[in-house]
Amino acid sequence: MYTGPAGLAGSGLARLGNWPELSGQRDSLARLSCIAPSGVCCTRRAVLGNLPRGDQAWDWLKTLLPAPPSQPHSLRSLRPKRSPGPCPSAHAPWPALPLPAGDIHGRTLLDVGTGPTVYQLLSACDHFEEIIATDYLEVNRDVLRRWVQGEPDAFDWSPYIKHVCSIEGKGEQWKEKEQKLRGKLRQILPIDVHQPEPLGSPLGHLADALISTFCLEAVSPDRPSFERALRNVTSLLKPGGHFLLIGALEESFYLAGEAKLSVVPVREADVKEALAKSGYQIHDFRSYVMPPSLKIGVDDVSGVFFAHAQRTPVA
């Protein structure tokens, strides 16, 4: 996931695993960009648990799940920040979410702070003609490119793809979904959410929808920075477009190896206020307390929020 120029590593930066000690200085990014582990160097958080088959849920959020219980060895280094449970199961730590009002689809979906992962996009690829992935770190973008190009040393996402196909229950073969996402993931771009023009130059056309997971609060040193980052990425979304925003509540730090990295603690009211200031109408906002089974000592997060908001259309 994105990491900001203030040296505050985003949640895509190996929240678990063996990382060198990071400081809160700008040279953190230089050190991080030089790290090239044999597998995927970093990962986003998979915190939702299970969305049982048959329940109405946000299609895109179905992909934010723990890995299947029978992971190949190479996936162990990619274990998410939250302790993954078996899935699917009848004991979901997070309730299933209702489908947002209206059909969210269009030409372009832009993922703000993709990191080196693709599982958050597996269901989304059914609803958009093209997907734009973004990340601050070149090492993350390179991991994505290798997977899109099908290079032999690319990370194997097949267990996750099979798992998502099983949950969706559409009868789609996992190879078909893999090829579909590779075909639609047409751009992998650098991004800096703390810049007024996050991509460095305007998009050819504004996105129909944005998605961002555990990014903005993780890369912002304070609430004003969080609000500015949200306002900056909103410039990439067309008026009337939809934003699915997912993040941590009241988290002040997380551990990456021996490093303790700062996060701006946000409450429900803070997120709602920031969305309103950036010109959004909130269609749905849900928050959940972190279950004890997922509190494993790597952070002080109290819960998770899910927001479906729509940018105010031009009058």
Side-chain angles (χ1 to χ4, degrees):
M1 190 166 287
Y2 166 90
T3 186
L8 297 173
S11 58
L13 291 174
R15 295 217 161 180
L16 289 179
N18 298 317
W19 283 88
E21 184 175 358
L22 305 178
S23 71
Q25 307 301 317
R26 292 177 183 271
D27 65 349
S28 298
L29 291 180
R31 294 201 299 276
L32 282 169
S33 64
C34 295
I35 299 171
S38 58
V40 175
C41 64
C42 35
T43 182
R44 66 172 64 244
R45 293 186 253 181
V47 302
L48 297 190
N50 312 302
L51 297 180
R53 184 194 302 274
D55 285 357
Q56 284 191 320
W58 284 355
D59 281 346
W60 301 351
L61 298 185
K62 289 177 181 176
T63 64
L64 298 174
L65 296 166
S70 56
Q71 304 178 43
H73 177 74
S74 60
L75 287 180
R76 294 176 189 169
S77 62
L78 254 182
R79 65 190 187 275
K81 181 175 184 290
R82 310 302 182 199
S83 176
C87 57
S89 80
H91 304 287
W94 304 108
L97 300 177
L99 193 69
D103 186 14
I104 303 177
H105 66 280
R107 176 180 175 183
T108 302
L109 170 70
L110 190 146
D111 185 7
V112 176
T114 307
T117 66
V118 300
Y119 64 84
Q120 71 278 12
L121 302 172
L122 289 170
S123 290
C125 71
D126 292 330
H127 301 277
F128 295 89
E129 297 174 23
E130 67 171 354
I131 296 174
I132 300 175
T134 67
D135 201 78
Y136 186 84
L137 291 180
E138 172 60 29
V139 65
N140 286 350
R141 301 194 300 271
D142 183 60
V143 168
L144 291 174
R145 291 189 195 100
R146 294 204 304 269
W147 180 82
V148 169
Q149 296 165 5
E151 295 186 8
D153 64 341
F155 187 79
D156 179 18
W157 285 104
S158 61
Y160 292 83
I161 302 172
K162 292 174 184 177
H163 186 53
V164 170
C165 288
S166 173
I167 292 172
E168 289 179 338
K170 300 175 183 177
E172 184 178 22
Q173 298 298 310
W174 73 271
K175 277 286 189 182
E176 294 176 9
K177 183 175 287 292
E178 180 181 64
Q179 291 305 314
K180 183 190 301 180
L181 180 55
R182 280 175 168 159
K184 292 189 176 184
L185 194 50
R186 297 171 187 170
Q187 296 187 71
I188 301 171
L189 303 177
I191 191 170
D192 184 344
V193 302
H194 293 298
Q195 297 301 318
E197 203 161 75
L199 298 179
S201 60
L203 282 173
H205 57 275
L206 295 178
D208 297 280
L210 301 179
I211 185 170
S212 186
T213 59
F214 304 103
C215 176
L216 301 184
E217 76 280 6
V219 301
S220 300
D222 48 41
R223 274 190 57 201
S225 297
F226 174 80
E227 293 180 357
R228 284 194 299 271
L230 178 58
R231 185 166 60 248
N232 291 340
V233 301
T234 296
S235 68
L236 305 172
L237 180 65
K238 73 177 186 180
H242 295 266
F243 194 177
L244 295 184
L245 179 64
I246 306 163
L249 290 171
E250 300 182 44
E251 180 181 32
S252 67
F253 76 92
Y254 64 86
L255 301 179
E258 297 180 358
K260 185 176 182 180
L261 304 178
S262 297
V263 179
V264 56
V266 294
R267 303 164 300 164
E268 291 182 37
D270 300 329
V271 179
K272 292 177 181 178
E273 182 181 350
L275 286 167
K277 286 181 177 179
S278 290
Y280 287 95
Q281 177 186 358
I282 298 175
H283 289 300
D284 201 355
F285 192 101
R286 306 293 177 93
S287 61
Y288 301 101
V289 175
M290 182 62 66
S293 62
L294 295 185
K295 292 184 177 181
I296 57 175
V298 297
D299 59 35
D300 60 349
V301 66
S302 68
V304 176
F305 71 85
F306 308 88
H308 168 214
Q310 185 174 16
R311 188 179 183 187
T312 304
V314 175

